[in-house]
Amino acid sequence: RQRAAAGILELPADSAPLLESLRGGLAFASGQSLEANLLLLLGAKLLATAFCLGAGLIGGAFAPSLFFGAVLGLAYQSAAGGGLSLLADAIASYQSSVGIPVGSWGVIPQLTIADAPAYATIGAAATLSAVFRAPLTASLLLFELTRAYDIVLPLLAAAGTGPLVAEFANRRIEEAGRRREPPNDAVDV
């Protein structure tokens, strides 16, 4: 038997390939995009968290909200990077089709996005602030964890917008629920 996770979990000796793949990162399904794998992981975590909270198990919403936001931030960064790459290719093909040297407009080199940890941090702050309706706390907490001065403004903007979006969605859900309820006009005799 091999011991993993500081002796908490004991696995049979033939599970060495599983342990190696976990040490090297999660081995996702081949042939799928990063966004699809991240959203699959997000869905699995969402179901596990909902089951645990519904069953009354010990835990909470703090760590899952950080995880959800970080994974959504990474998926958004990956999708935005792909979209920006397609846009850069379209601009380059247009420039070459009209006889302009590619990059002469100075646009192609400037089409970049921030790195993945920045998007994960901003997503985590936005989700944390939306769940707990505490944008300043979420901003300061994530800033203290990362000390990344270059993402302070996007962090504050996302954390400030998160509770607004959550409140808007909550109102829409409540209005839809009120429309489905039958009128309470019946009088008991």
Side-chain angles (χ1 to χ4, degrees):
R1 295 187 154 261
Q2 288 185 337
R3 290 187 178 263
I8 297 172
L9 175 67
E10 290 190 28
L11 296 173
D14 60 346
S15 63
L18 172 67
L19 291 176
E20 289 303 316
S21 69
L22 288 175
R23 284 189 191 115
L26 290 174
F28 289 115
S30 61
Q32 289 188 0
S33 67
L34 176 65
E35 297 90 6
N37 287 324
L38 285 173
L39 293 177
L40 181 68
L41 186 64
L42 181 72
K45 179 66 174 174
L46 183 63
L47 289 175
T49 302
F51 173 76
C52 290
L53 289 175
L57 298 175
I58 296 174
F62 179 75
S65 68
L66 289 176
F67 177 80
F68 297 148
V71 170
L72 284 174
L74 289 174
Y76 179 77
Q77 189 264 351
S78 181
L84 204 53
S85 175
L86 290 174
L87 180 62
D89 292 343
I91 291 172
S93 66
Y94 175 73
Q95 286 178 332
S96 62
S97 70
V98 294
I100 298 172
V102 175
S104 63
W105 289 345
V107 175
I108 299 295
Q110 296 174 1
L111 293 179
T112 59
I113 59 172
D115 55 345
Y119 277 89
T121 304
I122 292 168
T127 307
L128 184 67
S129 70
V131 169
F132 292 105
R133 306 293 201 275
L136 190 58
T137 302
S139 300
L140 291 175
L141 178 71
L142 271 295
F143 174 69
E144 283 185 17
L145 286 174
T146 61
R147 297 282 183 193
Y149 292 98
D150 54 339
I151 63 168
V152 169
L153 289 177
L155 190 73
L156 287 169
T161 307
L164 296 175
V165 171
E167 187 63 32
F168 177 74
N170 192 23
R171 284 185 185 169
R172 298 286 296 202
I173 291 169
E174 287 176 1
E175 288 173 7
R178 277 189 231 124
R179 278 185 259 154
R180 288 189 198 147
E181 291 177 0
N184 202 4
D185 295 340
V187 179
D188 286 335
V189 178

